[in-house]
Amino acid sequence: TCTLEINNFEVTVPNDFTILQAAKQIGITIPTLCYHPDQKVKANCRICLVENHQGKLMTACSTQVVDGMKIKTHSKLVRETQKGVLQLILANHDQNCLKCSRNGKCELQKLCEIFNISKTNLHETVDCTTQDLSNHSIIRDQSKCIKCNRCVEMCQEVQTVAALSHAHRSTNYSITPAYNKSLADTNCVFCGQCISVCPVGALREREEIDNVMDAIYDPNIHVIAQIAPAVRVSIGEEFGYNPGINVEGKLISALKQVGFDKIFDTNFTADLTIIEEGHELISRLKNNGVLPMLTSCSPGWINFIEALYPNLLPHLSSCKSPQQMFGALSKSYYSSKMGIPPEKIFTVSIMPCTAKKHEAKREEMHYNQYREVDAVLTTRETAKLIKSISISLNNLSDDNFDAPFGISSGAGAIFGASGGVMEAALRSVYEILTAKELDNLDFTSARGIDGIKEVTVMIGSIELKGAVVNGLKNARYILEQIQSGECPYTFIEVMCCPGGCIGGGGQPFGSTMNIRKERIDGIYSIDKNSTIRRSHKNPLIQQLYEDFLIEPNSKKAHELLHTFYYP
Ligand code: HC1
């Protein structure tokens, strides 16, 4: 260990601690901007400067502690330099905060408030005409970029997509796709992990709140919402709840007050996905089909494999995602059951994900001529919409999901966490193939935040070896194994975002690994407390097959619930 003094307080910490970590240990906060607790990025913004006993300035986030060090975190020199740094950043930053989606939630704005800076006194060099509006998911606004590099690390090292990178030197230095292309012209998978780490408004989702409200205000349109598994354990954070607290009932009440006609649960079509995907796996196992089979519900992952490993597309399950299955049912089964023509139904998805916006707009995702999903709101947009009509979740009582999709299983709920699809599928595939009940429904080795997990289970005489993968760097590793014929698995769940959908790019800001873990705990406690924990035991799923789909993987099911991919 090593002992040092910070602002005259003595602290003893491990040798490999930074000054920033040591200060935190004794409750001293040093301002940061480029630093992120889950990332390596350091010392780009220079705001975390501190002064040592020799009057030398150093960055607290990147300087390791030394025995006997004496540090001041707010000396005159430190404060004046920090203010100068902020002025320099602002001179190259669009300061029209009212126009910015991060207004009130911007890390730079917060620092300016602390340092009492309302406007830069330097010559402004920013060009505010550079928004990239090329796609349905993510808007990139160069005029807001502070070049902290968090997004580049996320895109290059965690997701290995490298849509974003560095260009030019010195005052021309910028963060941009190569050759200044638009995101749509790169391999961007639209996962929005770059947005999750962006401290300012340089990256944001393409908002659809106004389209949704236009539909709600139209008396001739029946507007319905589906709520994704991961949203209920995170949206509470926007209203002061701890991560992982399930606010599903309050969210339903809030959306009814917003004006939605019916509120449904994507967990229901997650159950349906398990039936369709489970039978597809069984059929591949029995008929020498292409194995390993890869799950297909995470749209950023689909974009990744289509762009980078097109020869492996036959490994993907043909199942649409639960979002799209719900959309297809809303314009067919629900439409005829309710006697409302599909053109009068406007289907909104409430999702933790920005890639879901792109998925909903894919050419093939329609039923007859109707879009399956008309608009996708991220968790953040949904919270904004609720706040915009002055509702606070806290004061609402719990409401229930509507019929005919009002019951779902714990297996559907765990889709929201990495490993959930695998566990849900194994519960059903095992019981369908063996006609025996599982003693223990918990496949705990599939759970948790690790990037690659393994599950092995004996199903009768078949040993099924599965892998659970989250984050695209890990997906790439598994795809390389398949490519080289060295993949030991039969069934592989892949989720694009670290930790699964609970860590999606549309979730409330501040998704650190610790927060992801708390959301995961929330997801598993929903499953634990569910009366139905197997998708095939959901009575409304059974009824849907009796009334409409006939049987799993039927012609009708294929028409509505399965898809194809673009090499
Ligand atoms: Fe997901 Fe899924 S789990 S992809 O992470 O399969 O977004 O939550 O809705 O479609 O069900 C996301 C979450 C979500 C789909 C389901």
Side-chain angles (χ1 to χ4, degrees):
T1 60
C2 159
T3 301
L4 66 157
E5 254 179 42
I6 304 178
N7 300 345
N8 300 327
F9 292 100
E10 202 173 272
V11 57
T12 303
V13 292
N15 291 328
D16 60 351
F17 261 39
T18 60
I19 297 171
L20 186 71
Q21 288 171 306
K24 194 169 172 213
Q25 187 113 320
I26 47 173
I28 294 174
T29 306
I30 297 171
T32 55
L33 201 48
C34 68
Y35 167 83
H36 186 287
D38 298 338
Q39 293 198 300
K40 287 184 284 186
V41 145
K42 279 186 176 81
N44 283 324
C45 74
R46 324 299 294 178
I47 198 71
C48 67
L49 291 171
V50 293
E51 184 179 350
N52 74 2
H53 57 281
Q54 294 159 327
K56 193 174 160 226
L57 290 172
M58 46 187 57
T59 46
C61 73
S62 64
T63 309
Q64 236 167 282
V65 290
V66 176
D67 214 27
M69 222 176 195
K70 288 192 169 87
I71 294 294
K72 296 276 182 228
T73 67
H74 54 268
S75 64
K76 189 162 192 278
L77 176 65
V78 168
R79 271 179 82 78
E80 277 173 6
T81 316
Q82 283 170 326
K83 283 189 177 193
V85 167
L86 278 177
Q87 294 276 0
L88 281 167
I89 294 174
L90 280 182
N92 200 18
H93 183 84
D94 178 3
Q95 291 161 61
N96 194 342
C97 295
L98 275 184
K99 260 181 37 193
C100 181
S101 65
R102 287 297 284 270
N103 190 19
K105 288 189 174 165
C106 168
E107 295 181 36
L108 175 61
Q109 195 182 38
K110 222 170 269 168
L111 286 175
C112 289
E113 189 191 344
I114 292 168
F115 285 93
N116 203 17
I117 293 173
S118 56
K119 198 152 179 39
T120 184
N121 51 18
L122 301 173
H123 173 65
E124 292 176 33
T125 56
V126 68
D127 170 9
C128 296
T129 57
T130 51
Q131 289 201 20
D132 174 358
L133 304 169
S134 61
N135 66 88
H136 295 293
S137 293
I138 297 173
I139 296 179
R140 206 174 65 82
D141 185 345
Q142 193 74 49
S143 70
K144 305 247 168 60
C145 178
I146 58 164
K147 305 171 181 75
C148 68
N149 263 301
R150 288 185 190 174
C151 60
V152 176
E153 181 179 323
M154 182 56 89
C155 191
Q156 297 198 351
E157 293 183 36
V158 179
Q159 299 296 58
T160 64
V161 171
L164 292 170
S165 60
H166 321 267
H168 313 299
R169 301 272 163 141
S170 181
T171 50
N172 290 328
Y173 174 71
S174 67
I175 288 172
T176 170
Y179 306 110
N180 206 20
K181 284 182 186 168
S182 60
L183 283 176
D185 293 329
T186 68
N187 284 333
C188 177
V189 300
F190 307 120
C191 67
Q193 287 303 304
C194 54
I195 303 177
S196 306
V197 292
C198 180
V200 292
L203 290 152
R204 64 181 196 272
E205 63 266 63
R206 193 158 195 153
E207 288 196 357
E208 294 179 78
I209 295 175
D210 289 344
N211 308 355
V212 170
M213 287 315 286
D214 286 347
I216 285 176
Y217 290 137
D218 186 336
N220 298 314
I221 301 292
H222 180 77
V223 187
I224 62 176
Q226 58 166 322
I227 300 176
V231 173
R232 66 208 72 200
V233 293
S234 63
I235 196 166
E237 293 161 36
E238 294 273 359
F239 297 90
Y241 290 88
N242 285 334
I245 301 289
N246 177 14
V247 296
E248 168 187 300
K250 291 179 190 300
L251 178 56
I252 298 169
S253 297
L255 294 176
K256 291 236 167 109
Q257 290 207 26
V258 168
F260 285 91
D261 293 297
K262 300 274 179 194
I263 316 290
F264 300 114
D265 199 349
T266 313
N267 293 10
F268 173 83
T269 37
D271 278 337
L272 184 60
T273 301
I274 288 303
I275 305 303
E276 287 297 313
E277 200 167 85
H279 280 89
E280 184 183 352
L281 178 62
I282 291 169
S283 155
R284 290 192 191 209
L285 287 166
K286 286 186 173 165
N287 304 314
N288 267 335
V290 179
L291 292 171
M293 188 173 94
L294 302 165
T295 61
S296 56
C297 46
S298 167
W301 150 240
I302 299 297
N303 295 338
F304 184 78
I305 185 171
E306 281 184 332
L308 296 167
Y309 294 85
N311 63 316
L312 298 183
L313 288 173
H315 289 269
L316 273 182
S317 158
S318 63
C319 285
K320 284 180 187 168
S321 71
Q323 157 170 286
Q324 294 306 137
M325 286 196 185
F326 179 88
L329 287 181
S330 73
K331 304 288 167 92
S332 56
Y333 174 70
Y334 178 74
S335 162
S336 67
K337 201 171 170 81
M338 300 292 286
I340 306 172
E343 65 270 24
K344 295 261 161 96
I345 297 174
F346 191 89
T347 302
V348 181
S349 303
I350 312 283
M351 293 281 144
C353 173
T354 49
K356 286 281 172 201
K357 288 175 181 278
H358 176 266
E359 180 185 47
K361 295 282 192 301
R362 285 174 72 116
E363 182 59 33
E364 68 281 12
M365 294 296 174
H366 55 77
Y367 168 70
N368 293 335
Q369 72 268 40
Y370 308 109
R371 280 260 127 240
E372 291 166 352
V373 171
D374 296 288
V376 178
L377 300 179
T378 62
T379 312
R380 289 188 294 264
E381 283 174 273
T382 308
K384 202 168 175 181
L385 172 59
I386 293 170
K387 288 175 189 171
S388 76
I389 57 160
S390 302
I391 302 175
S392 171
L393 275 197
N394 318 59
N395 305 327
L396 296 173
S397 51
D398 289 351
D399 205 338
N400 296 314
F401 286 111
D402 288 303
F405 309 126
I407 299 175
S408 56
S409 75
I414 57 178
F415 263 57
S418 161
V421 182
M422 170 64 71
E423 186 166 344
L426 290 180
R427 289 178 191 176
S428 287
V429 168
Y430 180 95
E431 296 197 354
I432 291 166
L433 272 179
T434 62
K436 282 192 208 141
E437 289 221 334
L438 276 163
D439 296 330
N440 181 5
L441 290 174
D442 299 337
F443 291 86
T444 49
S445 60
R447 299 182 183 183
I449 207 89
D450 291 349
I452 300 180
K453 297 164 277 184
E454 284 189 353
V455 198
T456 305
V457 52
M458 286 305 295
I459 303 181
S461 59
I462 307 171
E463 185 192 64
L464 193 139
K465 203 161 181 199
V468 173
V469 182
N470 65 83
L472 293 176
K473 180 183 180 179
N474 301 316
R476 187 186 278 275
Y477 176 82
I478 293 286
L479 288 170
E480 288 294 333
Q481 276 192 340
I482 301 175
Q483 196 92 280
S484 61
E486 289 161 6
C487 176
Y489 309 112
T490 312
F491 180 43
I492 304 171
E493 174 202 304
V494 186
M495 285 291 176
C496 170
C497 296
C501 287
I502 49 84
Q507 291 283 58
F509 288 115
S511 291
T512 59
M513 274 305 168
N514 284 337
I515 288 180
R516 287 171 207 244
K517 283 182 196 155
E518 290 179 60
R519 294 177 187 154
I520 289 174
D521 291 345
I523 289 276
Y524 284 104
S525 68
I526 296 174
D527 173 42
K528 200 165 156 218
N529 296 321
S530 298
T531 40
I532 303 166
R533 294 186 64 203
R534 302 154 164 94
S535 300
H536 57 288
K537 294 278 167 86
N538 179 338
L540 293 182
I541 292 284
Q542 293 167 349
Q543 194 178 340
L544 177 68
Y545 279 102
E546 264 167 42
D547 293 353
F548 187 64
L549 294 171
I550 306 163
E551 62 181 359
N553 293 181
S554 67
K555 188 162 173 278
K556 184 109 189 157
H558 265 276
E559 267 166 31
L560 284 163
L561 310 177
H562 291 250
T563 188
F564 56 90
Y565 305 102
Y566 295 99

